[in-house]
Amino acid sequence: MNEKLDRRKRYTRMVLKDSLMTLLKSKALSGITVKELCEHADINRSTFYTHYKDQFDLLRQIEEEIIADMNTYLNQHNFEEKEQALQTTERLLEYIVSKYDIFYTLLNENEDTSFERRVMEVASNFLINNWMNDDEIDQANSEYLSTFIISGSIHVIKLWLARNMDKTPHQIAQIINRIALNGINNCYVD
């Protein structure tokens, strides 16, 4: 009986997440009501409220899940080797492909950029901790450099998603890593 209940919960959460992503493609989160969300998901409002407080809570939980997945994934890899960095970036892009609708929607939502900021924080922490450990790049400069690299990378990914992933994850990973590594290797302050 518990397995059936767990499956039902997973299904309910899945259709609510999918419905929110679909609705976010055509309107801002503030314009989406719980009633509209439930109608789109074909569930009743009381079921919605057993899982989430409101549509903002649902979006927050979707974002939390993605950020946790990214952190878990990035913690499994060694960024010190250039080839490993390329493979890690490629795998991360493959993860983005597997969650295309979510990333495309959340990175392009005009109303709130909290997801983009959170993705940038995760990536920046890993970039500073794993690629910018050179003594010649002081902490203040590494923050500027990581912000520049991560912002550019996010926008490359947004463009790639907007172009319906017209290049392979490997090709985009090469572009991002080449820019990142060249920026890091050439950022020595006199």
Side-chain angles (χ1 to χ4, degrees):
M1 184 68 159
N2 269 347
E3 185 181 316
K4 186 176 183 180
L5 184 60
D6 287 342
R7 252 189 319 183
R8 197 176 311 150
K9 279 184 179 181
R10 283 194 308 270
Y11 175 78
T12 299
R13 289 179 180 170
M14 181 192 68
V15 296
L16 285 169
K17 288 175 186 178
D18 290 348
S19 294
L20 181 61
M21 289 300 110
T22 300
L23 292 171
L24 281 172
K25 289 177 184 174
S26 61
K27 53 176 34 175
L29 182 62
S30 60
I32 299 171
T33 64
V34 171
K35 179 181 178 188
E36 179 180 22
L37 192 53
C38 291
E39 286 173 357
H40 191 274
D42 197 25
I43 63 163
N44 63 47
R45 287 173 56 178
S46 62
T47 302
F48 176 90
Y49 288 116
T50 61
H51 297 276
Y52 307 103
K53 291 188 309 189
D54 54 25
Q55 66 274 34
F56 300 98
D57 183 41
L58 171 56
L59 180 61
R60 184 188 57 74
Q61 288 191 35
I62 292 170
E63 290 178 358
E64 288 291 327
E65 183 180 303
I66 296 291
I67 296 298
D69 283 353
M70 286 179 64
N71 272 315
T72 299
Y73 182 80
L74 290 171
N75 281 321
Q76 296 172 353
H77 298 281
N78 174 11
F79 283 86
E80 307 239 352
E81 301 293 325
K82 287 183 183 180
E83 193 58 37
Q84 181 71 23
L86 178 62
Q87 291 171 354
T88 301
T89 305
E90 186 176 350
R91 298 298 171 268
L92 196 53
L93 290 167
E94 288 169 355
Y95 173 74
I96 290 171
V97 169
S98 75
K99 306 275 185 192
Y100 172 80
D101 278 341
I102 292 173
F103 274 94
Y104 180 78
T105 303
L106 294 181
L107 287 175
N108 289 302
E109 188 187 0
N110 296 325
E111 180 181 316
D112 182 16
T113 59
S114 67
F115 180 69
E116 185 173 326
R117 270 193 314 274
R118 293 177 72 199
V119 168
M120 287 179 66
E121 279 176 29
V122 168
S124 181
N125 287 337
F126 282 95
L127 185 62
I128 288 172
N129 292 336
N130 295 289
W131 282 359
M132 296 184 174
N133 53 10
D134 194 326
D135 292 334
E136 294 183 45
I137 303 175
D138 64 34
Q139 183 64 29
N141 288 332
S142 68
E143 289 177 30
Y144 285 115
L145 183 57
S146 72
T147 298
F148 180 80
I149 291 169
I150 299 302
S151 294
S153 297
I154 294 285
H155 283 81
V156 165
I157 291 168
K158 287 170 77 167
L159 177 62
W160 179 57
L161 292 172
R163 289 185 173 173
N164 207 19
M165 300 169 295
D166 60 343
K167 296 189 180 296
T168 67
H170 181 75
Q171 291 170 316
I172 297 298
Q174 285 180 315
I175 292 168
I176 290 171
N177 280 32
R178 194 173 306 129
I179 292 167
L181 291 172
N182 285 334
I184 291 168
N185 293 334
N186 295 312
C187 185
Y188 297 100
V189 177
D190 297 331

